[in-house]
Amino acid sequence: MNSVKEAIRSHVKGQPEGTIFVPKEFLALGTRASVDQALARLVKAGVLTRVSRGVYTANIATRFGTIPPPVELVVENYAAAKGQKILQNEAIAANRFGLTTQVPIRHVYITSGPSRRLQLGKVNVEVRKVPRWLTLYPGRPAGEIIRALSFVGASEAKTAASSIRSKVEKEEWRTVLKAKAMLPAWMTSALAQEGSFT
């Protein structure tokens, strides 16, 4: 058992910060039961954090003790491991465009996959399933435009669209307009009133 635990410990220490680990990648070291037991012992020893059922990440050693990696990094790697889109929520997008001063104190993300809760030490992370159109264009301003408009809602969408349009590149605005068929009618209407760049 100790050999399995030490082999896992050695492996995880050599991986980039925030890497996600699952039991099946260690099955060459022993039976599933021995791997599960070794992982549990490494969690108890503070080497690993159990992010969710069957999902782990390595802790970071600091002078104050071990701590989990940054939430954003773990969520990004978790999304890649699961093959899902997991993005920052609508309020974050709205804040970036100056549509709200609200900055959520809770760690809430949106996803194209199932809703779930992740745990990083004392930090709870909520991953909330949303309609597919809210996860369009990850990593691009075009996607943030859609999420920001979703946050303000139908009553404020026209004013928000006008404000956002003056802050983004033409190509990003055109990309949002191309997605109009996938968006709610109220959002499409707000975008149409702003028109396109010539």
Side-chain angles (χ1 to χ4, degrees):
M1 175 55 64
N2 282 336
S3 62
V4 175
K5 185 179 76 169
E6 292 310 313
I8 294 175
R9 184 199 297 265
S10 176
H11 174 77
V12 302
K13 279 189 173 181
Q15 302 305 308
E17 193 174 290
T19 297
I20 292 296
F21 305 102
V22 295
K24 68 179 181 181
E25 66 188 279
F26 302 117
L27 292 181
L29 302 174
T31 65
R32 178 59 188 260
S34 65
V35 168
D36 285 344
Q37 192 171 352
L39 290 168
R41 288 182 176 180
L42 289 169
V43 169
K44 188 174 182 179
V47 175
L48 298 177
T49 285
R50 182 179 180 271
V51 178
S52 67
R53 184 178 180 182
V55 180
Y56 303 83
T57 192
N59 288 327
I60 303 168
T62 74
R63 61 177 179 163
F64 303 108
T66 59
I67 60 172
V71 171
E72 294 78 9
L73 185 56
V74 174
V75 169
E76 180 182 328
N77 289 333
Y78 181 89
K82 294 291 185 179
Q84 298 170 357
K85 295 178 183 177
I86 299 181
L87 311 172
Q88 290 188 322
N89 65 62
E90 304 95 311
I92 298 293
N95 179 270
R96 287 179 179 157
F97 286 118
L99 302 179
T100 179
T101 57
Q102 175 183 336
V103 179
I105 56 174
R106 294 189 304 130
H107 294 278
V108 180
Y109 290 78
I110 60 175
T111 183
S112 57
S115 296
R116 61 183 69 241
R117 291 186 181 276
L118 309 179
Q119 187 76 32
L120 282 168
K122 296 181 179 179
V123 178
N124 294 303
V125 181
E126 178 185 349
V127 181
R128 175 170 51 87
K129 182 176 177 60
V130 295
R132 182 171 174 266
W133 57 268
L134 268 174
T135 64
L136 290 171
Y137 311 120
R140 289 186 58 178
E144 293 201 330
I145 293 169
I146 293 169
R147 289 183 280 282
L149 291 176
S150 174
F151 177 81
V152 300
S155 62
E156 301 293 330
K158 183 178 182 300
T159 301
S162 178
S163 174
I164 292 172
R165 186 173 184 260
S166 66
K167 299 174 182 177
V168 298
E169 299 289 335
K170 295 179 180 180
E171 186 57 37
E172 295 300 321
W173 188 261
R174 290 184 182 125
T175 297
V176 175
L177 294 179
K178 289 176 185 176
K180 286 194 297 184
M182 302 174 65
L183 304 177
W186 61 264
M187 190 178 292
T188 298
S189 175
L191 292 166
Q193 290 183 64
E194 282 305 303
S196 182
F197 286 100
T198 57

